[in-house]
Amino acid sequence: MAELILRDLCRWDRRFVLACPPGLSEESALERPISWAISVRAAPPFLPPPRGDELVILSGRILREIQASGLAEAEDLLDTLAEAPIAALVTEPNLIEGPVGSLPLLLFPGPLPLDLEPTLNRLLTEQRRALYRLSTELTRELSRAALSGGLDAVLQAAALASNRSLLLQDSEGRLLAAAGPTPTPAPPTALAQARPHPATRLLSESLGERLLTAITAGGRVAYLSLLAVAGETTERDRLVLSLLAGLCASLLAQESRTARPTPSSQLVADLLLGRVSESTLPLVAQRLGLGPNQPVIVALLAASGEPEAAERVLRRILEPSARDRSTPLGDTLALLLTEDEAAAVEDRARSLVRPTFPEPPALLPPRFAAPSVRNQPAWFLVFAEPVPHLRAVPQGLRQARFLAGLIREGALPGPIARFDALADTGPFAFLYALWGENRATELARSLLGPLLEEDERAQELLRTLAAFLACGSASEVAAHLGIHRNTVAYRLAQISELTGRNLADPRDRLLLHLALLLVSMPPAEPPAAQ
């Protein structure tokens, strides 16, 4: 259990003023532990045998009685106190001239109360009881958290119990786990001042105070810190840090025996699929060479043909740093790129595209197109729009999957498409909000009706409608589909009858074109986390 120190007493009773002898800093004096309070007596033996870390109370009244009796001189008494293993001397202002060895003095404003000894001991007893109760409850909570979730869960439980921010950093200052409202990592200069557990160091910072300790486990050194508002660090905080440090040391020792570093590809996958907790996000970002609040772009690279083609493209467009932030995701390779990296990758990828490529996009997905539908590109690369921070990368993944699905469906030509480039996405940029929504299917079915049936006749009419909306005249449709002009006219009449739309009306043609775009969108995918 955490020890009570002079700092606690000075906080409980603001009447005490600390006076330090030369060579003893105020910070060191305040960190001195306290056991009990004992009083100097007027008759021998003047002081009960101290056991260590006592507060010795010396009042002006008692000192005068000792001097008047002639049994001892004040200087001899003070020399005895200076050599005793006590925490501090509690006395009155102007009673003692000069320092008493290396003892700090706690000065009380005015004559010391006669009941000061029992008052202080009662206060120390009450505070120790409160710490014991907290220690019992917190040990139970931390043990439960350690069994269920490891370091992250343990720090989260301690942060909830203490209402403080807590951080665990490795020997190089990298974040291992964090929890609480404002978990700001300690700079290397602060870590260098840490004391080995169970000792702590209280550091003043621009935003408050940091209580810091160093722990060693499995041959590794780590630093545990607790953040508080300036002047509000208490004995409860030291207890929390002490219990947490012991448990973290045990967990780190277990990890060093059994765990291996998580591959960067797994970290990328966890980010994309929304499996990274808020507390570990800074650590994951650090491992990947990114900032937690840095804008990033999700890209997907895939090949629809020989696997060697994808490998060749990958080697030619990706820098080593980008490869370190890639992971297989289904039949695609997912990438996390900075904005500069994405621009460079896109430039290199476009340099691989022949000037004659691509063909105009199809108006229908392959399931509705003619049997002679053209092949997909040998490879494609799609980019989501930049997301503002790493927590939002699942949104970027969904956009990239949408573009990949459009290229696979033949609705976009590829092989390169950017979500934020209207020239690449066309009207699909506006329809993205409807992707996977039931209302998109309902709208398409209300406009096309029987044309969406799976029979050959319905698909024939659907291809004719798509060609008419693309070409604009029956003659061009006949030439495009390789059928007679009269056949086109007959099919268009059937389409008007089945849909209830007038193909000569621009507004009806726009609605039918919208419906074709909706059925050209790829099938809905599950949320990223699934």
Side-chain angles (χ1 to χ4, degrees), residues 75-162:
E75 291 183 2
D76 295 335
L77 178 62
L78 295 177
D79 288 342
T80 301
L81 293 176
E83 296 174 359
I86 61 179
L89 182 60
V90 181
T91 187
E92 301 164 1
N94 304 318
L95 182 63
I96 300 173
E97 295 181 1
V100 182
S102 60
L103 278 182
L105 304 182
L106 282 181
L107 303 179
F108 191 85
L112 294 181
L114 295 176
D115 62 346
L116 183 58
E117 178 182 339
T119 299
L120 289 178
N121 285 330
R122 185 167 53 252
L123 178 60
L124 291 170
T125 300
E126 291 171 354
Q127 295 297 329
R128 287 194 175 97
R129 285 175 180 168
L131 286 179
Y132 179 79
R133 288 193 297 269
L134 176 61
S135 176
T136 303
E137 296 170 2
L138 188 57
T139 299
R140 184 169 54 248
E141 291 297 323
L142 294 182
S143 299
R144 186 182 296 119
L147 292 174
S148 63
L151 284 171
D152 288 321
V154 166
L155 262 70
Q156 188 65 39
L160 289 174
S162 62

Side-chain angles (χ1 to χ4, degrees), residues 380-394:
F380 66 80
L381 177 65
V382 295
F383 299 88
E385 65 183 353
V387 295
H389 43 68
L390 287 184
R391 289 183 297 278
V393 293

